[in-house]
């Protein structure tokens, strides 16, 4: 069960300050010398993530057990990257919806000058991507209605994610919704300024942003949890 939280639980200035200094000193020697600072700010982020989880759990069923479990490691995997700096310069985490009948994931990233609340489908497997495209090809109207709704456009603007340059193989290049058929990812994102992140209203706005994803998630969940017999 998600931990219950009351009031507050926002982002603290010290959390952004730590990231700004880390960006200028992204090396193991500095980090180890300031490990206590990191652990203190990490604890604050756990509190914030616990609050987000409690808010989410009021209207959705979340598999992620705690704010702490939602947080991503600050240590970068540099094995296959040309960027060998050892630490991420942002706080981030994600919440997984429970059961195969609830698809889509919630995500947050707190970074000076580049914070956002996001969600969606980062890397759909081949079978899932085909189900989505087949449904769009059959009748794009339900998805188009969601993407054109006032709630969606005022929160996210438009659907994000990588797209093919042309219609995917097997689909009509002249299809009325070929723009949707070309998507390889289906991402929702709302960006926030540092001032907005520091506002006492940020947690509320983050929760409203997550809630605004639900029509899109419900649409996708129905497609991806229905078999070829319509069950």
């Amino acid at each position: 069960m998600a931990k219950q939280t009351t009031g507050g639980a926002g982002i603290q200035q010290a959390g952004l300050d730590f990231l700004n200094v880390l960006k200028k000193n992204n090396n193991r020697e500095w980090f180890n010398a300031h490990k206590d600072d990191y652990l203190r700010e990490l604890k604050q982020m756990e509190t914030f993530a616990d609050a987000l989880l409690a808010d989410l759990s009021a209207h959705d069923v979340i598999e992620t057990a705690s704010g702490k479990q939602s947080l991503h490691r600050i240590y970068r995997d540099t094995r296959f990257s040309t960027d060998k700096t050892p630490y991420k310069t942002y706080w981030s985490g994600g919440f997984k919806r429970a059961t195969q009948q609830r698809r889509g994931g919630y995500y947050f990233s707190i970074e000076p000058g580049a914070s956002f609340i996001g969600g969606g489908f980062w890397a759909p497997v081949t079978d899932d991507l085909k189900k989505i495209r087949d449904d769009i090809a059959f009748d794009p109207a339900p998805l188009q209605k969601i993407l054109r709704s006032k709630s969606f456009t005022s929160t996210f603007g438009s659907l994000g994610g990588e797209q093919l340059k042309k219609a995917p193989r097997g689909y009509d290049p002249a299809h009325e919704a070929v723009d949707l058929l070309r998507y390889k990812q289906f991402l929702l994102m709302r960006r926030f300024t540092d001032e907005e992140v520091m506002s006492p209203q940020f947690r509320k706005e983050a929760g409203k942003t997550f809630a605004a994803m639900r029509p899109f998630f419900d649409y996708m969940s129905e497609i991806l949890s229905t078999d070829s017999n319509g069950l």
Side-chain angles (χ1 to χ4, degrees), residues 59-205:
H59 63 79
D60 204 349
V61 183
I62 306 299
E63 181 176 305
T64 308
S66 68
K68 181 176 182 178
Q69 289 188 19
S70 78
L71 293 179
H72 299 153
R73 287 165 52 85
I74 200 169
Y75 308 97
R76 296 183 62 249
D77 183 353
T78 61
R79 291 174 298 173
F80 308 107
S81 174
T82 55
D83 179 1
K84 297 302 181 181
T85 52
Y87 306 106
K88 301 172 184 175
T89 54
Y90 55 89
W91 306 106
S92 65
F95 302 98
K96 183 178 180 181
R97 304 181 76 207
T99 81
Q100 287 297 305
Q101 279 63 52
R102 295 182 183 89
R103 299 297 185 90
Y106 301 102
Y107 180 82
F108 63 92
S109 180
I110 306 300
E111 179 179 8
S115 297
F116 67 91
I117 299 294
F121 301 81
W122 179 261
V125 298
T126 301
D127 287 347
D128 282 354
L129 189 55
K130 186 176 188 306
K131 285 182 179 179
I132 295 169
R133 285 173 172 164
D134 284 350
D135 193 83
I136 293 171
F138 176 71
D139 182 11
L143 179 56
Q144 289 172 332
K145 182 179 179 180
I146 293 169
L147 300 182
R148 293 170 181 169
S149 69
K150 183 177 180 180
S151 173
F152 188 95
T153 57
S154 63
T155 305
F156 307 110
S158 60
L159 183 64
E162 291 185 8
Q163 296 174 273
L164 299 171
K165 293 183 179 179
K166 300 179 180 179
R169 183 176 300 178
Y171 296 88
D172 183 3
H175 192 280
E176 62 174 302
V178 68
D179 59 323
L180 295 177
L181 292 172
R182 291 192 293 109
Y183 276 95
K184 298 191 295 181
Q185 300 173 312
F186 302 85
L187 306 179
L188 314 180
M189 182 184 297
R190 178 184 175 187
R191 297 188 179 279
F192 291 84
T193 66
D194 289 354
E195 183 178 1
E196 289 171 329
V197 168
M198 294 301 304
S199 166
Q201 297 299 312
F202 178 60
R203 173 185 158 193
K204 180 180 179 180
E205 290 302 314

